[in-house]
Amino acid sequence: MTDATAATGNDELRLRVTRLCWEADGVLSLTLADPHGNALPHWQPGAHLRLTLPTGVERHYSLCGDPADTGTYRVAVLHEPRGRGGSEYIHRFLRPGAVIAAGRPRNNFPLLPAARYLFVAGGIGITPLLPMLRAAEQSGAHWRLLYGGRSRASMAFLGELAGYGDRVRVSARDERGRLPLAAALAEANASAPAHEPVAVYCCGPEGLLDALDEQCAGRSGLRPHVERFKPPASQGVEESNTPVEVRCVRSGTTVEVSAKESVLDALLASGVKVHGSCREGICGTCEVTVRAGTPDHRDHILDAAEREAGQVMYPCVSRSLTPVLELDL
């Protein structure tokens, strides 16, 4: 093995913190490397990294460095004192030299080929877009970035973005008021040739993502792609469940899932090895291949075509439309 998996012999990585850097008020970047100097697993723009902190807390952060750099990963963490403890630990206690566990990069937000892009970032949502800008630039595509935040002092990576000139529009709320999202989308839609929709990539607060989805609806010139770190509030209504029988093809285990438990919890209780993290259908860690049956998709990762194909599911939230579901476990 030539990459960092050699340290563990499986999909788990051990990464050393080599550098911490303040990127803005409340935003700290971490540079991570293999402790033995091995090359790190490859990744593509849009990928995220699961970090397991010494406290046992798991958090997912977008990779915001250069995919061509096989020696280091970079993530950026917004300090959220009222959060669930991940950013608080990183900001208060993590120091260069610390070694932490991580998963291999996963990508639920891939950058698809396009001739024209509009990137929209809100606050820390700039992180997954940074590698996308680099890729769009290298491909020769026409692109623009609209980047909003409370103030310039709170907006990370402005120095890096300055090199792109007027293709980047920075809109700090204390200077310009609300982010001019509607105007940017209308301009992109009007400029798109009929045969060439603009790929719109957006990451940021839920209100921004909901507004973008709403304003892109009915505009044939725009093709939206968003990454969520929380389930949409409008989709938080509890859905009715029915019991399901899950057959694990490789292990030969059959698991009865009651209406009161998730498929993931039932699998874990039966000793089936499935890694889960967010338990909200947004991180993709628990992805499993479906061998037979029809999944009831309740995640916020798959698009319509992927749901129709029914090849994978996320058992932390998704269930089954058929009485029996066979999984490649």
Side-chain angles (χ1 to χ4, degrees):
M1 262 179 217
T2 59
D3 64 27
T5 56
T8 59
N10 54 35
D11 282 351
E12 290 294 304
L13 310 178
R14 300 288 293 176
L15 300 176
R16 185 184 302 280
V17 179
T18 61
R19 184 171 184 261
L20 298 174
C21 181
W22 288 107
E23 304 294 350
D25 289 349
V27 179
L28 187 66
S29 70
L30 285 66
T31 300
L32 307 162
D34 177 68
H36 306 288
N38 293 322
L40 297 172
H42 183 61
W43 60 282
Q44 296 286 346
H48 65 262
L49 193 68
R50 171 178 53 82
L51 299 182
T52 303
L53 303 176
T55 57
V57 170
E58 290 186 350
R59 292 293 180 266
H60 296 255
Y61 300 104
S62 297
L63 286 163
C64 59
D66 184 354
D69 179 2
T70 61
T72 64
Y73 290 150
R74 184 179 69 169
V75 300
V77 181
L78 173 66
H79 190 202
E80 298 180 281
R82 297 184 181 180
R84 296 179 293 173
S87 72
E88 182 76 358
Y89 181 89
I90 289 172
H91 277 251
R92 291 188 60 188
F93 303 111
L94 204 61
R95 296 292 181 269
V99 177
I100 55 179
R104 294 175 69 93
R106 300 182 64 90
N107 201 337
N108 303 322
F109 191 42
L111 181 68
L112 302 179
R116 305 170 69 87
Y117 295 99
L118 173 62
F119 299 101
V120 181
I124 197 63
I126 188 62
T127 52
L129 303 187
L130 289 175
M132 293 187 180
L133 303 182
R134 183 181 290 108
E137 180 76 0
Q138 292 173 347
S139 72
H142 178 279
W143 65 268
R144 292 288 186 271
L145 167 68
L146 177 62
Y147 180 18
R150 296 189 309 276
S151 66
R152 287 178 180 268
S154 71
M155 299 171 70
F157 303 110
L158 290 181
E160 292 185 23
L161 293 170
Y164 292 120
D166 61 5
R167 282 171 294 179
V168 174
R169 180 177 182 182
V170 176
S171 181
R173 191 161 61 243
D174 64 349
E175 298 175 3
R176 298 175 176 269
R178 295 177 62 87
L179 188 71
L181 177 63
L185 292 173
E187 180 182 352
N189 185 62
S191 65
H195 65 285
E196 192 177 85
V198 176
V200 182
Y201 280 80
C202 180
C203 186
E206 293 304 304
L208 173 62
L209 304 185
D210 292 341
L212 183 131
D213 277 341
E214 180 180 342
Q215 294 183 37
C216 284
R219 285 175 162 165
S220 59
L222 303 178
R223 187 170 297 159
H225 307 265
V226 302
E227 181 170 47
R228 296 183 183 272
F229 293 104
K230 296 179 182 178
S234 60
Q235 298 184 28
V237 179
E238 184 175 348
E239 300 181 65
S240 60
N241 295 331
T242 56
V244 59
E245 179 181 293
V246 175
R247 297 174 184 171
C248 303
V249 177
R250 284 189 282 119
S251 67
T253 304
T254 297
V255 179
E256 300 293 338
V257 184
S258 73
K260 296 182 178 181
E261 62 184 339
S262 69
V263 174
L264 177 61
D265 285 340
L267 290 170
L268 292 173
S270 298
V272 180
K273 293 183 178 180
V274 186
H275 192 91
S277 184
C278 72
R279 295 178 179 269
E280 295 180 306
I282 54 176
C283 77
T285 302
C286 65
E287 180 180 288
V288 293
T289 299
V290 178
R291 297 285 293 273
T294 304
D296 179 8
H297 296 292
R298 301 181 184 182
D299 63 89
H300 308 287
I301 300 172
L302 301 176
D303 61 26
E306 291 167 331
R307 291 181 177 222
E308 181 67 25
Q311 296 179 345
V312 299
M313 67 173 288
Y314 301 96
C316 67
V317 292
S318 298
R319 298 184 70 84
S320 179
L321 297 174
T322 50
V324 177
L325 192 65
E326 294 187 4
L327 303 178
D328 188 28
L329 292 170

